[in-house]
Amino acid sequence: MDAQGRGRGENIDPADQWVLNPNTGEYELRLSPSAPQSPIPAPRGPRNTGAGNPRARSASPDQAPERPGRASPERETPGRDVPPQRRRRGAPEEPPGRRGRKPAKGKKAKKVLLWTSGTVAFLVLATGVGGYLYLEHLNDNITSVSDDGASTGGFKKDQAINILLIGTDKRTGAGNEGYGDKGSEGHADTTILLHVSKDRSNATALSIPRDLIVDIPDCPTQQEDGSEKVIPGSTGARFNTSLGQSGRTPSCTMRTVTELTGIKPDNFMVADFNAVKTLTSAVGGVEVCLGKDINDPDSHLNLPKGTHRIEGEQALAFVRTRHSVGLGGDLSRIELQQQFLSSLMRELKSNDTLTSPSKMIKLAEAGTEALTVDSQLNSINKLKDLGMELGKLNVKNLTFTTIPVVDNPAEKIKATVVLDESKAPEVFDLIRNDVSFTEVKQQKKKEAAAVAARLKGEKAPASEVRVRILNGGAPAGSAQSTLSWLQVDQGVGKSENAGNAPAELAKTTLEYAPDQADQARRLADILGLSGSAMKPGESVTNSQGLPAMTLTLGKDFKGAGVSLTPPDKAPDDIKKSTADKVVCAE
């Protein structure tokens, strides 16, 4: 079934079940005017989470056995199609008249936030305000597929977060027959890598062009019967073929992103066309701006110049149009989608949405019905936890940008793009090093100044620097090649190869005792280390029994003589926009 009508009555609007009790001043869930209060509908049974059938259920509603306490059809209010009274499996029966929760005040923006990736993928991130009792019901809406070991194992509250949002053009759901490729298994039509900083002060949404030429790695993939099949990779392929084609699942898109950017996503989320239609309708539409008239017969978008509020089919047409904007290609469409997402974020963060139980319930229903997540993010509570982290963000510090690319030089008729090698690596480094694309907060500036101070002061002569070199995740042979370079080219004769480190490190570090600070500054200058790589601590004893510093080469090590100082801000020539700005599409 499509995302709009799976297992529910055709005319049921869950938001209509929440009413204000004038006697208590609280919102209550009611199934009919005659019923004082009804429990929240319980989950409708586990869903098939096999990769090959993400929308299947274990049983149809017609096969479900009758539950004790279920209202009979003849007792329901005539003319109103509402779900029967149900209670959670194993839970004691609740007395009639139990009151629903009153929406919390003063915690709106912190308690609830929804994200979407436009054409695309999105995350329903909470129902905390006025909808906590609805969580168990929403669990049954969520579909999950295996991450096949391609993720980090899931986001963590004390670390930076990387979520891969994938929109597929597979034609599923009523009314979508006119979109996508007929008979296709779908592609990664629109993909965004959402990076949220460790301190939650900023985020970057990095769009990945569907026509970008990449290498798709071999992809171990769980099959419907639980077995694993390795789907062969391919070189020089369009990025969008990392999903759907040859049996590839979202985990393969995740592996492709890791291969491309060096950033391993924590989780992924996937949605089809219904995500845009149902979410925008649930929120009451979003405002978009056009700098010119657009009449695109391919996407079915027909709007005059100016500001418009769009939802449903019109919203889908807006994010899918490309021939009538910019240069008429996918890159122009990406800019349109980023404008749409910025507007949606402003709408979702507005008081009109956050203080409306009706809107919040509609959004929760719409989101979870159209959402497919990885197996590490397969419950509403996990989504809620993620939403609490994302809820700390301010839209002015959410930056949209696109991987820098250039036309494929191998093509006479330009149809695909390749990485702009002069710019793309720096963008990837910014995200890997958790650098904001917006202005850094004053507190972060103070912290950065304190770290930078480690590099200031006198530097010892290179001949006095005594250091042991360990390989902590760098390519094999890196410790020895660095030793040779330091001794022969840099005059650091008091150095030695100490073999492999006890554990791998993401970043290269230099640990030193207080009385070795001048040596540390000299070695940092030679290696191109940042202040954050310098770790004041204790000295160690080298093979001659003398105190020495410890240089551990991490996974970020690129070779002897290659600077390891990460960028501290986004370059000025990278095209970007923030979610708080209104941009009109041309």
Side-chain angles (χ1 to χ4, degrees):
M1 288 186 175
D2 62 63
Q4 296 170 313
R6 294 174 301 184
R8 299 202 308 265
E10 293 180 359
N11 301 317
I12 298 174
D13 184 348
D16 291 341
Q17 298 171 247
W18 289 85
V19 297
L20 180 67
N21 187 327
N23 297 320
T24 64
E26 297 184 352
Y27 286 95
E28 299 179 359
L29 184 68
R30 302 199 178 189
L31 298 183
S32 72
S34 61
Q37 178 64 39
S38 298
I40 300 302
R44 291 163 292 189
R47 297 174 70 169
N48 186 334
T49 58
N53 189 15
R55 293 295 177 195
R57 294 185 181 276
S58 58
S60 70
D62 294 336
Q63 296 169 325
E66 185 174 343
R67 300 177 183 271
R70 182 169 179 168
S72 62
E74 53 269 23
R75 289 202 300 266
E76 293 179 357
T77 303
R80 186 176 184 187
D81 186 6
V82 296
Q85 177 176 340
R86 299 171 68 181
R87 63 186 177 88
R88 194 174 172 183
R89 293 189 188 93
E93 294 203 58
E94 299 183 44
R98 180 176 177 179
R99 298 186 304 180
R101 291 197 177 188
K102 184 177 181 179
K105 294 181 179 179
K107 299 182 180 179
K108 299 183 291 293
K110 293 182 180 179
K111 291 294 183 183
V112 89
L113 179 65
L114 288 95
W115 289 74
T116 178
S117 70
T119 59
V120 315
F122 64 91
L123 162 63
V124 125
L125 295 172
T127 56
V129 178
Y132 177 77
L133 297 177
Y134 211 49
L135 296 182
E136 289 303 317
H137 163 68
L138 294 177
N139 268 325
D140 191 44
N141 287 350
I142 299 172
T143 298
S144 68
V145 296
S146 177
D147 71 343
D148 296 315
S151 75
T152 63
F155 80 94
K156 296 177 177 61
K157 294 183 179 180
D158 60 346
Q159 296 182 16
I161 298 173
N162 293 295
I163 306 294
L164 188 64
L165 308 174
I166 309 170
T168 175
D169 59 356
K170 186 175 181 179
R171 303 188 314 170
T172 57
N176 295 326
E177 296 81 2
Y179 301 108
D181 298 329
K182 186 175 182 180
S184 170
E185 289 299 316
H187 304 77
D189 191 53
T190 300
T191 306
I192 292 178
L193 178 62
L194 174 66
H195 172 84
V196 185
S197 68
K198 182 177 180 179
D199 66 2
R200 309 300 185 246
S201 67
N202 64 88
T204 302
L206 180 67
S207 293
I208 304 175
R210 67 174 192 178
D211 296 325
L212 175 64
I213 296 300
V214 298
D215 292 337
I216 299 175
D218 292 345
C219 299
T221 306
Q222 180 178 310
Q223 305 299 296
E224 282 189 71
D225 61 3
S227 64
E228 183 180 282
K229 176 182 178 182
V230 177
I231 300 174
S234 58
T235 59
R238 273 183 165 91
F239 176 84
N240 68 348
T241 62
S242 65
L243 175 68
Q245 309 309 296
S246 304
R248 294 176 179 134
T249 66
S251 67
C252 193
T253 305
M254 183 178 277
R255 293 184 194 277
T256 304
V257 169
T258 302
E259 184 92 0
L260 173 68
T261 66
I263 302 163
K264 193 171 188 177
D266 300 307
N267 300 97
F268 67 70
M269 303 171 192
V270 186
D272 57 24
F273 297 145
N274 287 311
V276 179
K277 295 195 291 187
T278 57
L279 260 182
T280 53
S281 294
V283 81
V286 298
E287 285 193 355
V288 295
C289 180
L290 296 178
K292 64 178 182 179
D293 297 345
I294 290 183
N295 185 1
D296 184 354
D298 291 326
S299 70
H300 313 304
L301 180 66
N302 187 358
L303 288 174
K305 176 181 177 180
T307 301
H308 306 273
R309 179 167 286 272
I310 59 175
E311 63 177 276
E313 290 287 348
Q314 198 171 47
L316 179 59
F318 183 87
V319 296
R320 286 190 56 78
T321 193
R322 57 174 173 151
H323 300 302
S324 300
V325 292
L327 298 176
D330 188 53
L331 296 179
S332 297
R333 182 172 66 168
I334 286 175
E335 294 180 12
L336 199 71
Q337 292 167 352
Q338 292 173 350
Q339 181 214 140
F340 173 85
L341 289 173
S342 296
S343 178
L344 180 59
M345 284 305 306
R346 294 193 297 272
E347 190 71 35
L348 293 172
K349 291 279 282 184
S350 70
N351 287 340
D352 287 346
T353 298
L354 296 177
T355 59
S356 170
S358 173
K359 282 189 177 181
M360 291 309 304
I361 294 170
K362 286 181 178 179
L363 284 166
E365 285 286 339
T368 53
E369 282 285 357
L371 178 67
T372 297
V373 299
D374 68 85
S375 49
Q376 308 295 334
L377 197 64
N378 59 357
S379 75
I380 196 67
N381 281 329
K382 292 179 181 178
L383 292 175
K384 181 171 66 69
D385 288 343
L386 180 56
M388 298 296 281
E389 296 302 308
L390 300 183
K392 300 171 185 177
L393 286 171
N394 188 313
V395 292
K396 71 178 182 180
N397 292 323
L398 168 59
T399 303
F400 288 93
T401 190
T402 303
I403 291 179
V405 295
V406 295
D407 287 334
N408 189 347
E411 296 175 337
K412 291 183 178 180
I413 299 177
K414 305 303 180 183
T416 61
V417 294
V418 297
L419 285 183
D420 183 341
E421 296 293 351
S422 68
K423 297 179 180 180
E426 186 173 5
V427 170
F428 300 152
D429 277 347
L430 285 166
I431 295 176
R432 279 196 300 265
N433 289 284
D434 204 23
V435 177
S436 175
F437 277 61
T438 55
E439 186 176 354
V440 180
K441 284 186 174 182
Q442 189 63 34
Q443 180 61 32
K444 293 192 73 176
K445 289 182 179 179
K446 292 179 180 179
E447 295 172 359
V451 169
R454 298 172 187 169
L455 297 171
K456 297 179 180 179
E458 292 187 6
K459 300 179 180 69
S463 60
E464 295 181 9
V465 174
R466 186 178 289 111
V467 62
R468 299 171 74 246
I469 306 170
L470 296 171
N471 190 327
S478 293
Q480 184 59 43
S481 63
T482 301
L483 175 67
S484 299
W485 177 74
L486 286 175
Q487 292 181 339
V488 176
D489 298 338
Q490 303 299 321
V492 184
K494 298 177 182 179
S495 51
E496 64 183 35
N497 182 353
N500 292 326
E504 292 189 350
L505 299 178
K507 296 181 180 181
T508 297
T509 61
L510 174 62
E511 185 174 359
Y512 58 96
D515 61 352
Q516 296 171 319
D518 58 342
Q519 294 183 47
R521 286 190 284 267
R522 173 58 66 190
L523 190 57
D525 183 58
I526 292 172
L527 295 170
L529 291 177
S530 66
S532 61
M534 300 175 67
K535 305 296 180 184
E538 299 178 353
S539 64
V540 294
T541 302
N542 67 7
S543 60
Q544 297 177 331
L546 298 174
M549 300 182 294
T550 301
L551 173 66
T552 305
L553 306 178
K555 294 179 180 179
D556 64 337
F557 184 75
K558 300 179 179 67
V562 180
S563 176
L564 287 170
T565 300
D568 58 2
K569 66 175 184 177
D572 294 334
D573 57 351
I574 295 295
K575 193 170 184 179
K576 56 186 183 293
S577 62
T578 54
D580 62 322
K581 299 292 191 301
V582 177
V583 180
C584 294
E586 294 286 349

